Amino acid sequence: MILPDLVSASAPHPVRPPSPTPPIDQDQLAGTPAGLARLAPLTAALATAAAAGLRGRTGPLPARTPADLAEQVRADLAAAGGVLPDTGRGAAAVVDLIRRYAAGTVDLADPTAAAHLQPPALGVPAAVEAIVAALNASVDTWDSGPYAVELERHVVRALADRLGLPGTADGVFTSGGTASNLHALLIARDAVAGRLAAGGRPVVFCSAVAHFSVSRACSVLGLGADAVRTVPVDERYRLRPEPLADALAGLAGDEVPVAIVATAGTTDFGSIDPLPACADLARRHGCRLHVDAAYGGGAVFSARLRGLLTGIAAADSVTLDLHKVGWQPAPASVLLVADGADFAPHRVDYLNPADDGAAGYDGLLDRSALATTRRADAVKVAATFLALGADGLGALLDRCHHLARYAQRRIEAEPRLELAAGATLTTVVFRHRGADPDALNGRLRRRLLRSGVALVGRTTIAGRGVHLKLTLLNPAARTEDVDELVDAVLAAGDEDREAA
Ligand SMILES: Cc1ncc(COP(=O)(O)O)c(C=O)c1O
């Protein structure tokens, strides 16, 4: 008999002395087989409660003013004995909270939610998030989450390969595009640390419509707000290479070009800077090219749109947010670098001592300059990749792109509306015509916010004023839903006129 032999050969478990204090309720732990089994009914109860909350809704936002909503949350919590009662109220309070939460938060799956680069989450990564949270691994050290560490390496490699980055490429998941851009500029700054220490004045170039996180990063990194030189854009909101070339050629002797930040998918317009020209200029002037593809990087999954990213393979670093075009629950941002040596080795005695590393026990601590404990975000991404494949994600983007093109045509055909920027990716920028259009369009958006029937975005175009924006990231939406959004804007315009 093999089994008894094996059993008798195994070392006996040491008998533990009785615990001097009662153990905590093991039922509360999620990451045990029994805990995971209990997660299913609890999650089912919460999902049912959330669905009930959603069912009572009339639009993407609750039809309440901010003050009314704040009062409702206060009253709800007061009825529950406060947000931190002395004695816990158990699962029933949680079910109640989640029902109210779903009734009162933003409903991104509503097809008329079209304000921000905040997509409705896919089911696969949302479900995986619950299990990942239950197991609560971290990727900073190997022993904090060994499988997660390896998965992150594979997801990073797959993304680098898709973008055409070299075999030396590496990457790291971060807490968002803002953090990825900050980390990229940290690497760029450190690459010229010697020249800056010798008195050089740093300069970072980006287009006039680059994301604000670029100039924020320069401030955080001590480069100074005046380090940022914004380059004018063309009529389609793409950085113009000629003024960039002139600015680089005209740098003073003590000015150090730290980086050119090109955007692949600007927040408002989805415009994509001329990446090959930017790469060429970066090479000629000895500075780094960082591509902020937080929004547009997902085009790499689409056979139809992939060509927009031509030139990205020459980048020194790339920001790519899968919590935008990737339909992941946030966060799922990746910073990719063409040369893994950009991640400075960082040893910490209690986490990743050198002898452990030499023996293969290395996590990803030195990939991450901005975090120690770091979520296993790669797991939900790997799950999504496995479930949908690159083509599946590409099809979702193609669908949203189709909706944006439809919205563009509808707006162009509507005399009361004026198109400012058509669909490159999934956004369309326009405004309602009328006297004092800045005030009018601001009022229209607030009118829609208050009624809760449609959620449109807003932006200001330099020299052209306040505009409205549709950010179409719901692949389940139909063209009829786009019509509903446009009709809601027109109706808000009518109401505004009547109220005047
Ligand atoms: C082009 C671009 N870069 C960076 C960011 C910042 O991303 P996050 O909100 O994940 O920090 C955004 C956000 O919209 C963006 O549009």
Side-chain angles (χ1 to χ4, degrees), residues 21 23-24 58 102 137-138 155 204 215 252 254 270 294 321 337 357 371 397 418 421 424 430 444 465 473:
T21 51
I24 70 152
T58 51
S138 169
V155 171
V204 171
S215 63
D254 65 341
D321 283 2
V337 295
L397 175 58
E418 179 188 357
T424 299
F430 65 105
L444 292 196
L473 278 179

Side-chain angles (χ1 to χ4, degrees), residues 10 12 34-35 53 77 98 113 115 132 149 191 199 234 245 259 277 287 299 324 341 397 426 463 468 488 494 498:
S10 67
L77 291 172
I98 293 304
V132 167
V149 165
D234 66 14
C287 68
K324 297 185 169 64
L397 175 58
T426 70
L468 302 175
D494 292 344
E498 281 158 24

Side-chain angles (χ1 to χ4, degrees), residues 411 414-419 429-438 440-442 444 466-468 486-497:
I411 290 162
E414 178 52 63
R416 282 173 288 170
L417 303 179
E418 179 188 357
L419 184 79
V429 184
F430 65 105
R431 71 176 172 180
H432 201 293
R433 295 180 201 271
D436 194 1
D438 283 4
L440 169 65
N441 284 278
L444 292 196
V466 174
H467 281 70
L468 302 175
V486 174
D487 289 344
V489 171
L490 293 171
D494 292 344
E495 285 163 24
D496 188 78
R497 216 175 18 257

Side-chain angles (χ1 to χ4, degrees), residues 117 175-179 181 211 213 263 265-267 292 294-295 319 321 323-324 333:
L117 288 167
S175 62
T178 301
N181 285 343
H211 193 257
S213 57
T263 309
T266 55
T267 313
D292 178 0
Y295 172 26
T319 291
D321 283 2
H323 57 273
K324 297 185 169 64
S333 180

